[in-house]
Amino acid sequence: MRAFPAPPPGSASSIGGARDRLAERYAELLRTLVLAAPAPAGFDVERLRIQADRLAARRRRHQHHRPS
């Protein structure tokens, strides 16, 4: 079996680099949904706004049901 050289750290083909990029994109999406940050590139702004509104409403509903 032939071994392939490891890609340089942070390169597009690096698994670690891909994970880092995915984690950053996910964090951008969460900031949009939870903190009303600007929508990440490539996402439908209106759909994200609707989803953020629904998540906020759900959090408000569940706050009233928490035991004290």
Side-chain angles (χ1 to χ4, degrees):
M1 192 167 203
R2 186 175 145 202
F4 293 97
S11 71
S13 60
S14 163
I15 291 174
R19 284 184 185 145
D20 291 344
R21 288 188 303 281
L22 179 59
E24 181 53 37
R25 294 282 290 166
Y26 188 70
E28 288 177 36
L29 182 57
L30 286 176
R31 284 190 292 269
T32 299
L33 293 172
V34 177
L35 303 174
F43 284 89
D44 183 317
V45 174
E46 182 61 15
R47 285 184 175 202
L48 287 177
R49 185 196 59 76
I50 291 167
Q51 189 61 42
D53 289 347
R54 288 180 180 171
L55 288 170
R58 184 176 181 180
R59 284 193 303 272
R60 284 190 299 272
R61 278 194 317 270
H62 288 293
Q63 283 178 345
H64 297 297
H65 298 291
R66 289 186 184 170
S68 298

